[in-house]
Amino acid sequence: MLKSKEKLLIFSLLSPSLLIILFIVAFPLGFSLYVSFTSYSLLTPGSMVFTGLDNYISLIHDSVFWGSLKNTVIFLTIAINVEFFLGLGISLLLSRELKGGRVLRTISMIPMMFAPVLVGFQFKWFFNDQVGMVNNLLYTLHLVKKPVLWLINGDLAMFSILVAEIWRGTSFMIIILTAGLMSLPKDPFEAAEVDGASGFQKFRYITFPLLSPFIFIAMAIRSLDIATAFDIVRIMTGGGPAHRTELIWTYVYRLGIVDTKFGLGCAMSYVTVVISIAFAYYLFKQLLKVRG
Amino acid sequence: MSKFKKVWLSVLIATFLFSLTAVAAWTKKPFEGVTIRAALIGGGNYEKLYEEFIPKWEKLTGAKVVIVAKMSHFELDKKFKLDFAAGAADYDIMTNHTSFAPQYDKFGVLLDLKPYFSKKDLSDFLPSVLKICYIGGRLIQIPRHIDISNIYYRADLFNDPAKKKAFKEKYGYDLAPPETWDQAYDIAEFLNNPPALYGTQFTGKEEAFSGRFYEMLLSNGGRLFDSHWKPVFNSPIGVKTLNYFKKLYQSGLVPPGVVNYVWDDVAKNFAQGKIAFHLDWGGWYPWYDDPKSSKVAKTFGYSLMPKGDAGVRVHWSGAHSFSVLKSSKHKAAAVSLIKFITSEAAGKFEAELGFGAVRKSVWDYVLKTTRDKRKLNFYKTYKYALENDEIVTPPLIPEWPSISNILYPQLQAAILGEKPVKKALDDAARKVEELMAKDGYYR
């Protein structure tokens, strides 16, 4: 048991760090929460007037907001799941004792090294209807006669953005899952081998449960980190055409920075934060369940 | 030493020391030790001015220039607004633009440059350009160059005798760069041969689309707002204008991807030879004419943009400029730098790169010295438009970016067929009216 003097000493030693954290994290969070209840416009500094739930109510009546929320949920669900399955498949291959395995593992990390802006430009060019690589390939192979509208058609535009995001995000899954696979104990596998378990049975009953903590951590981090897809969307479609690929992050940017409605932008950011926390909470709950 | 000699020697030494001090003072550069921090537009040909002229100014004045930000205006805009709101703008001069300036001015951070520029200093600037550099009677920016759009066209197609003959037979008039929007439609329809060649194209996204709609609306006799700032672009003229874009799109006379195109996209298409003619900024001329970047180099033509129903050519326009911040601790040096990089010499340098000059003397110079016939035609056409056509900026109010953000998704929805044209414009007008009401325009 710590004596009160020791407690005081610990607290006084920690207090500078606590104050810094409070100032860097808690103050901006609290302040932006307050701003979300005001009519603050970047262009009018005197406009930080408390307006209660006005911003949140105007979001409820905003059809573009609901559209962007729907798009974000679809985007997040597809991207995280595809990244997971791809990442898992590639990790299972890379975690084996392969010749050149280290080189392959290093290569698999390359997409993560690209800034999202660059990925956006790269895939915008790939999917350009006139001079893009994908359409040119389809023409050359005589698979299409008319340009495919990758970045125009609502579903195709979402698909194109997803391809870019999945290309970038799968690397992260690969790294975490490969590390997880390589750290699994060997004994259960040897025992299963002796008992005559098939490859699928070993994966289903040993690999997957043991790997679950890594899976949930990777998915939780990716689901929070996926907001960086903002740059990809902004470059590839700008959220359009006609809001077809608008995600909640591009809409926050449009409202808060371009339209300078900072109060409204903060309100929408908080809606995003609540959704992200709910998602992360769900994942961590699943993680705790798995760990018993 | 006699007393006289002593006095004489003292006077001599004193005179020598005084002369030395005077010479030292005379040779001391005016801004020795001063550092000017600058946030400037970067990329492409924009940076050549800084590379050429800033070292010269540093040598002349003894000051040092530190460029703290060099990025596209899109990125700069974000930076400026956040910096100004947070009071964190730690630079002395900044790139500005007549379309963006009203927003920045609302923060009250831009220095009125009128006291620093004499009438003579300003007399060489084109009056139409200088006019849009003022806000509320204050000169908050000095123009660098002005951009207007005209027609770039594939001269090989327009001068093809077989095509000329066939066109005349079909439409009853000669195939030539279009004089009106109706002619532009005919020519686009005639030359259209997708996917190898499209009749024309337009920028169908963001402000690039709002601006194209705006200039055609005006040339057809329409307006964005009435005198009380009520949106009136949903008028029958507005409907007709948007229908024109929709018809081009739905008839396949433009690449189907236009709704996702901004400047670099249309430029790439034209440079690839995939477009018969289109409207684009003068600043692209050197890039189009460089065989390294363009398949149509040395063969394309340049002509005035078409007239609308009102019988006028209207050019949506904007001037790149420089401003000094009120917070600058070295205002005299900052103004001196701006004067230097917007001087006649700087203007000549940039005009040769293809930028639209804002000084009369620079126009005289380029028209007198240019030998290349095609380039001379480019300059003559550009100058003719500046002097004779209507050069308009978007409304110089801080709300313009928000208005454009409301407008262009509705324009897109209409041309994609998601909404009827009238409904799209009505929806946009309603939202713009709400915005203007919120910002106190109807009090």
Side-chain angles (χ1 to χ4, degrees), chain A:
Chain A
M1 213 46 179
L2 290 170
K3 286 177 192 167
S4 57
K5 264 191 176 178
E6 283 173 332
K7 278 183 186 171
L8 193 71
L9 179 70
I10 291 169
F11 183 74
S12 55
L13 288 171
L14 284 176
S15 58
S17 324
L18 288 174
L19 274 175
I20 290 170
I21 290 170
L22 203 72
F23 186 73
I24 293 175
V25 181
F27 173 71
L29 273 177
F31 185 67
S32 56
L33 180 64
Y34 169 71
V35 171
S36 76
F37 293 107
T38 70
S39 56
Y40 182 48
S41 157
L42 271 183
L43 291 183
T44 326
S47 63
M48 206 183 284
V49 179
F50 187 77
T51 53
L53 290 170
D54 274 12
N55 289 331
Y56 292 92
I57 291 167
S58 70
L59 284 180
I60 290 171
H61 293 112
D62 185 349
S63 59
V64 181
F65 165 71
W66 288 110
S68 67
L69 194 62
K70 189 188 98 188
N71 286 343
T72 309
V73 171
I74 294 170
F75 181 81
L76 205 96
T77 310
I78 296 178
I80 300 284
N81 282 294
V82 174
E83 282 172 23
F84 163 64
F85 283 113
L86 276 176
L88 183 64
I90 297 169
S91 304
L92 285 169
L93 292 174
L94 291 178
S95 60
R96 293 179 179 202
E97 301 271 323
L98 289 171
K99 208 176 173 187
R102 282 186 181 182
V103 177
L104 284 174
R105 281 196 285 274
T106 310
I107 290 173
S108 70
M109 285 167 65
I110 289 176
M112 233 178 89
M113 297 172 192
F114 282 85
V117 174
L118 290 179
V119 177
F121 277 115
Q122 182 186 321
F123 279 87
K124 185 184 175 186
W125 172 67
F126 282 169
F127 289 116
N128 182 293
D129 59 307
Q130 292 303 303
V131 293
M133 202 180 77
V134 178
N135 271 356
N136 275 318
L137 186 71
L138 295 175
Y139 278 131
T140 312
L141 298 173
H142 300 286
L143 293 174
V144 294
K145 282 181 181 166
K146 275 167 41 178
V148 181
L149 303 180
W150 295 105
L151 300 174
I152 308 302
N153 177 292
D155 294 336
L156 285 178
M158 192 53 95
F159 169 79
S160 309
I161 292 166
L162 275 165
V163 169
E165 178 53 27
I166 289 165
W167 181 82
R168 197 182 71 93
T170 304
S171 294
F172 179 79
M173 289 284 186
I174 295 172
I175 292 164
I176 300 284
L177 298 182
T178 308
L181 284 168
M182 292 175 95
S183 68
L184 295 184
K186 293 226 166 68
D187 307 0
F189 292 95
E190 285 165 3
E193 194 81 38
V194 171
D195 291 345
S198 67
F200 177 75
Q201 283 171 324
K202 277 191 269 180
F203 176 77
R204 170 72 183 83
Y205 296 107
I206 304 173
T207 310
F208 196 74
L210 289 176
L211 196 63
S212 292
F214 292 92
I215 293 171
F216 284 115
I217 285 173
M219 286 180 98
I221 294 176
R222 274 301 293 148
S223 63
L224 296 175
D225 175 63
I226 209 163
T228 52
F230 161 77
D231 281 322
I232 293 178
V233 182
R234 187 168 64 83
I235 301 296
M236 287 179 72
T237 62
H243 299 298
R244 283 174 178 179
T245 56
E246 197 82 81
L247 299 184
I248 209 152
W249 311 297
T250 52
Y251 199 45
V252 167
Y253 173 79
R254 199 185 291 279
L255 289 177
I257 305 297
V258 183
D259 291 358
T260 68
K261 294 172 188 161
F262 220 63
L264 197 57
C266 282
M268 206 164 148
S269 298
Y270 266 91
V271 173
T272 321
V273 167
V274 169
I275 293 169
S276 300
I277 290 173
F279 197 68
Y281 175 75
Y282 169 75
L283 283 173
F284 276 108
K285 229 175 135 186
Q286 294 301 313
L287 172 67
L288 289 175
K289 221 190 264 176
V290 168
R291 297 187 78 182

